[in-house]
Amino acid sequence: VYGVWADGGYQTHCVVHDASIVLPVPDRVGLDVASLACCSGITSYSAITSLTDSITEAIRVKGKANVVLVGAGGLCLWGIQICRYLFPTKVTVCVVDIHENKLTDAKEAGAHMTVCWDKDPAKAAQASATLKKALGGAMDAAVDYTGVPGNTSRLFDAAETCATITVVGLAGGKMPPLVMHDFSLRGIRLQGVYVGNKRNLSDLLDILDKGGVTPPYMESVGLEDVNDVIKKLRQGTQKGRAVVKL
């Protein structure tokens, strides 16, 4: 992917070194939507599909599964719909955030339930307990779209046996203390996802072309509006995605 694994993401035009890596944009998918699919869309698709084994196992054992998505931003809005498309039955999607207004966006995007937890580290145990109570039990799979270290331990404490926790966000920080033997005794998987590959993007574009997933809310902005958008992102008040049109 240019701009990720190869330079060229910010050019108006670029020379492709290998024609086999080029994908056509379907007629029913606009260039603005395609631009999102190549970044937040493919990242969220890759993250959701990485949970497949845990979701499948939970459904086999319990007859149902739940998926927790942390951080109700643009990637999460993709994730909600992708999850519901790939797992249309027997899977409950729960979105977690520290902002109630962001959770409203998540509900509008199709989340079955939402949880607002306090970011205070001293309330981590309470946050895990609140999540389990909302789910009616332990968590089967999760994607952390924030990468905030404290979220990993909260999800770990709420995890079911054989759960998968996928970290996408790049907030940074040191790994929180975890009980190491739980990885083996409980079969918990902790992994990271960074963007995706050609197959992921091809699959996502096909889903978009079929109308299986509706892109998150997006607004078109000019170059002069970029600083205001970045400010909103830092404040956690930017809804969906902003697409810069030149």
Side-chain angles (χ1 to χ4, degrees), residues 77 102 105 108 217-219 232 237-242:
L77 298 183
K102 306 291 277 187
D105 296 340
E108 292 176 354
Y217 170 84
M218 58 183 171
E219 59 177 322
K232 289 180 181 179
T237 58
Q238 174 64 37
K239 181 177 180 179
R241 282 315 208 210

Side-chain angles (χ1 to χ4, degrees), residues 146-215:
T146 70
V148 175
N151 288 341
T152 303
S153 57
R154 293 180 181 201
L155 293 172
F156 198 85
D157 289 344
E160 178 64 277
T161 299
C162 296
T164 297
I165 300 171
T166 298
V167 181
V168 171
L170 302 174
K174 294 183 178 181
M175 175 70 72
L178 299 173
V179 180
M180 292 302 296
H181 64 244
D182 276 354
F183 285 105
S184 52
L185 294 180
R186 295 170 59 199
I188 296 176
R189 180 186 305 156
L190 177 62
Q191 61 190 13
V193 161
Y194 185 58
V195 195
N197 54 42
K198 180 184 175 183
R199 176 61 182 272
N200 297 143
L201 183 56
S202 178
D203 289 347
L204 179 58
L205 288 174
D206 184 56
I207 293 171
L208 288 167
D209 189 40
K210 294 175 180 176
V213 168
T214 301

Side-chain angles (χ1 to χ4, degrees), residues 33-171:
V33 174
S35 70
L36 298 183
C38 292
C39 185
S40 56
I42 185 177
T43 300
S44 202
Y45 182 85
S46 302
I48 296 299
T49 54
S50 75
L51 308 177
T52 300
D53 288 349
S54 290
I55 293 173
T56 302
E57 180 66 7
I59 292 174
R60 185 188 70 81
V61 174
K62 302 186 295 184
K64 61 181 180 179
N66 59 64
V67 175
V68 176
L69 308 178
V70 181
L75 274 80
C76 179
L77 298 183
W78 277 105
I80 294 167
Q81 293 205 52
I82 291 170
C83 193
R84 295 196 60 167
Y85 177 82
L86 296 177
F87 310 103
T89 61
K90 300 182 180 180
V91 174
T92 298
V93 180
C94 175
V95 175
V96 178
D97 203 281
I98 59 174
H99 301 289
E100 286 285 2
N101 64 308
K102 306 291 277 187
L103 293 176
T104 299
D105 296 340
K107 290 177 182 177
E108 292 176 354
H112 296 103
M113 64 175 68
T114 60
V115 171
C116 187
W117 66 19
D118 197 310
K119 65 179 180 180
D120 184 352
K123 297 182 179 180
Q126 178 183 334
S128 297
T130 299
L131 177 59
K132 291 178 71 174
K133 182 178 180 180
L135 295 173
M139 175 203 78
D140 298 313
V143 176
D144 179 10
Y145 289 110
T146 70
V148 175
N151 288 341
T152 303
S153 57
R154 293 180 181 201
L155 293 172
F156 198 85
D157 289 344
E160 178 64 277
T161 299
C162 296
T164 297
I165 300 171
T166 298
V167 181
V168 171
L170 302 174

